[in-house]
Each structure stands twice: as C-alpha cells, then as structure tokens.
Amino acid sequence: MKKVIIFLTIIIVLFAGIVAVTKYQQNKEAKNNPYAGAKSVNELKAETKEQLDDPLYQNIILPKTLKSNLNAGKDVTVYFYSPTCPHCKRTTPIVSSVTKEMGIDLKQFNLYEFDNGWDEYAIKFTPTVVYYDNGKEVARIVGEHTKAEFESWFKKNVK
C-alpha cells in the first residue's frame, strides 16, 4: 500500500511540474508576442514568428485596437505590411528610422496574419502607409520609396 501511495505522489508531483513549466512557457511567449491579444505564438505563421524578436517589428497594432482608435476619432499612422513581401522587407528599416527621427508613432498592421485588413482598409499593395486624422483617412503612400521620399511624405501629411 505504501508503494502505491509513493507512486501516486510521484505521478502527481510530475504532473504539477509539467503544468507549471507549461504555464511558465506560455507566460514567457505572451511577453514576447505583440499579437497576444489576438493570437498565441503557436497560431502565428512562420514568417511572423521570425519577426517576433526583430526590433523593427515591435509596434504592432491589432485589428480590434485599430478599429477602436479610428472609431474614437484618433490620429493614427499605420504601416500595412506583410512579412512575406520583399518590398516591405526593404521598406521597413527606412520608414522605421524616418518615423523614429521625426517622433511619429508608426503602428504596424500585419496583413499576412490579419488578411481582412486588405478589404477593410482598401489596401491594394504592400507596403502601404496610411495617415488617419480624427479617424478618417487623409493620406496614403504605396510601395517602396527612398528615405527622402518618405521624409517628404511624412512632413507634408503627418507632421
């Protein structure tokens, strides 16, 4: 009888340990997952997972938050991109540095993960940057551009 009790105790302790480790891993993943409000790390596509630790892709805006901000009439500048888009891969470092230098809070909307954004925000190509003033679109720039072209666009439309 003592052997059975010891055996059951060992099994319970092992089970509790597995639960604790799993919970720890999930909490750790959630901290490094800017998509946590909408998708777990396991639900993300491989190309998005590769960007989770990339400092250029840390200002993600989720569809629910963007919609809420626009409905509330807020000013928002959004960079619509896809991790699979070669033009986005070349453009992201440019727009990130330009907006950082100019003090613009550029939100990033991942169309690869949230493909309803294509229709909802009338996006035809990536990358696309859209400026919303009081929740309404007032300007957009589509495609790959030089740093000078982005600086000019941001100065004219956002600053």
Side-chain angles (χ1 to χ4, degrees):
M1 184 69 173
K2 287 184 180 181
K3 289 182 182 180
V4 172
I5 292 173
I6 293 172
F7 182 71
L8 287 175
T9 303
I10 291 171
I11 289 176
I12 291 170
V13 168
L14 286 174
F15 181 72
I18 291 170
V19 168
V21 168
T22 303
K23 188 161 187 95
Y24 172 77
Q25 287 175 335
Q26 288 173 342
N27 288 339
K28 187 177 176 186
E29 285 179 355
K31 287 181 183 176
N32 295 336
N33 179 11
Y35 300 91
K39 294 185 176 192
S40 72
V41 172
N42 293 336
E43 293 174 300
L44 296 174
K45 297 172 182 164
E47 294 84 356
T48 299
K49 286 181 186 178
E50 290 174 10
Q51 294 179 338
L52 288 177
D53 293 326
D54 189 330
L56 294 174
Y57 296 96
Q58 298 304 308
N59 205 17
I60 302 297
I61 190 164
L62 301 176
K64 188 176 179 179
T65 305
L66 178 56
K67 182 172 251 169
S68 172
N69 287 348
L70 296 178
N71 288 339
K74 293 184 178 180
D75 297 350
V76 186
T77 307
V78 184
Y79 175 58
F80 293 94
Y81 78 99
S82 171
T84 62
C85 167
H87 303 288
C88 297
K89 289 176 184 177
R90 290 188 294 269
T91 298
T92 300
I94 297 169
V95 295
S96 293
S97 70
V98 168
T99 54
K100 186 176 182 179
E101 289 168 10
M102 297 178 77
I104 296 169
D105 183 19
L106 182 68
K107 299 296 185 185
Q108 300 164 320
F109 189 102
N110 184 336
L111 290 164
Y112 191 54
E113 291 295 334
F114 306 106
D115 59 359
N116 60 329
W118 289 97
D119 293 332
E120 192 164 348
Y121 301 104
I123 306 300
K124 303 285 186 229
F125 306 99
T126 56
T128 296
V129 179
V130 180
Y131 175 62
Y132 299 92
D133 185 19
N134 293 316
K136 304 289 182 211
E137 180 179 337
V138 294
R140 84 171 39 203
I141 185 169
V142 179
E144 194 173 341
H145 295 275
T146 66
K147 182 177 181 178
E149 290 169 325
F150 278 117
E151 284 173 343
S152 174
W153 186 86
F154 283 113
K155 283 178 187 172
K156 178 182 176 191
N157 296 292
V158 182
K159 279 287 183 177

